[in-house]
Amino acid sequence: MSDDRRREVGESDEVVEDELAESFDATVSEGAERLQRPWRIVLITGFFGGLEVGLGVAAYLAVLHQTGDHLLAGVAFSIGLIALLLAHSELFTENFLMPIAALVAREGTIGHLARLWGGTLVANLVGGWVFMWLLTTAFPQWNDTLAESALHYVEAPFGLQSIVLAVLGGSTITLMTRMQQGTDSEPAKIVATVIGGFLLAGLQLFHSILDSLLIFGAIQSGADITYLQWLGWFGYTLLFNVLGGMLLVTALRLLRTKELFQQRRPD
């Protein structure tokens, strides 16, 4: 279908489908708002994001401890992502689509992105560490389950499988945020969130924040794991989370709406 014909059959004059144009506007606007946040808001929002994803980890461990079923535990973990969604907190890996779209639309700078990414990442980890200390103190009966879950990640050899698991982890949560932006329906957003949580935790994909909380908790509960082991795993997982979200989801969607970016950019 030609661009002129697409304009004729749609309700708007855009060269892409009407729903895609509306989603584009929402994505860029949300991304610009995130990029413009001052340090104080970035750090507070990120800290609460670490606490709230910890709620999902608590639900994950509770179900896994009782059933031993990672798929059921993955569904339970989505509680944390739902809390993030409804409380408007921030998870580092949620920022691979909307802020990048705003950056490409020239509604922010690289400096803004560095502040958002760096501040959110550090605050997520601090908030998550604090929550896991509270969790391990409150539920010492989960220590064995926690240690087993953490060892799954830190003992994984660095190789193609680990790289792909991290790429899929980054692309899955980025796609989740894209699905949330594609609808105004709160129930539909929650469904997208449950899907993302199930895939991330249920399939034990490598996710730099979620799995760091499991490792922090295992260390705090006395498991034979060190922060140096965590750092070695975290370094490559973070890199390939970013690449997965950027290359498999964000870049293709930016290409899909390139005409809209050209129209939106200031002269």
Side-chain angles (χ1 to χ4, degrees):
M1 181 183 293
S2 68
D3 290 345
D4 289 341
R5 179 56 181 158
R6 186 176 290 111
R7 290 189 178 97
E8 289 176 9
V9 299
E11 295 180 2
S12 72
D13 292 331
E14 303 293 355
V15 296
V16 299
E17 294 82 0
D18 296 334
E19 294 83 358
L20 194 58
E22 293 172 3
S23 177
F24 168 83
D25 288 335
T27 297
V28 173
S29 297
E30 173 68 17
E33 187 277 328
R34 294 187 183 191
L35 288 176
Q36 298 301 324
R37 289 174 181 169
W39 273 109
R40 176 176 60 87
I41 302 301
V42 169
L43 293 176
I44 292 173
T45 307
F47 182 80
F48 279 119
L51 293 178
E52 285 154 12
V53 80
L55 293 174
V57 173
Y60 175 86
L61 289 172
V63 174
L64 188 61
H65 179 73
Q66 291 296 323
T67 69
D69 191 318
H70 286 281
L71 296 180
L72 285 177
V75 175
F77 168 73
S78 63
I79 290 172
L81 297 182
I82 293 171
L84 282 168
L85 172 69
L86 299 181
H88 300 284
S89 300
E90 201 82 62
L91 195 63
F92 170 72
T93 47
E94 291 182 297
N95 284 316
F96 297 159
L97 175 62
M98 290 175 282
I100 296 299
L103 187 67
V104 173
R106 298 179 185 170
E107 298 196 13
T109 66
I110 293 293
H112 292 144
L113 182 65
R115 178 177 63 195
L116 177 66
W117 277 8
T120 302
L121 177 62
V122 171
N124 280 170
L125 293 173
V126 172
W129 190 96
V130 170
F131 185 90
M132 292 309 296
W133 181 85
L134 296 171
L135 191 68
T136 54
T137 302
F139 299 99
Q141 66 269 30
W142 295 350
N143 286 356
D144 290 342
T145 303
L146 192 52
E148 183 180 351
S149 298
L151 287 169
H152 171 78
Y153 300 103
V154 296
E155 291 188 343
F158 177 70
L160 183 60
Q161 183 180 21
S162 295
I163 289 172
V164 172
L165 285 169
V167 167
L168 290 174
S171 63
T172 296
I173 196 142
T174 306
L175 180 60
M176 183 192 76
T177 60
R178 172 65 188 88
M179 290 190 291
Q180 291 170 345
Q181 283 294 312
T183 178
D184 293 326
S185 167
E186 289 298 328
K189 289 181 180 182
I190 291 174
V191 169
T193 304
V194 172
I195 291 171
F198 169 75
L199 292 174
L200 276 175
L203 300 184
Q204 294 183 284
L205 302 180
F206 283 18
H207 186 271
S208 51
I209 304 300
L210 159 61
D211 304 329
S212 287
L213 267 63
L214 292 170
I215 298 169
F216 290 162
I219 294 172
Q220 292 162 353
S221 64
D224 188 20
I225 302 173
T226 67
Y227 284 105
L228 187 60
Q229 286 178 289
W230 163 74
L231 189 60
W233 171 87
F234 178 77
Y236 77 80
T237 300
L238 178 66
L239 172 63
F240 289 107
N241 278 174
V242 173
L243 290 178
M246 296 287 288
L247 297 180
L248 294 185
V249 180
T250 300
L252 295 177
R253 277 157 178 78
L254 297 184
L255 182 62
R256 179 69 181 85
T257 54
K258 64 183 180 67
E259 296 89 354
L260 299 181
F261 282 107
Q262 292 167 353
Q263 295 173 15
R264 188 168 180 126
R265 286 171 181 162
D267 294 333

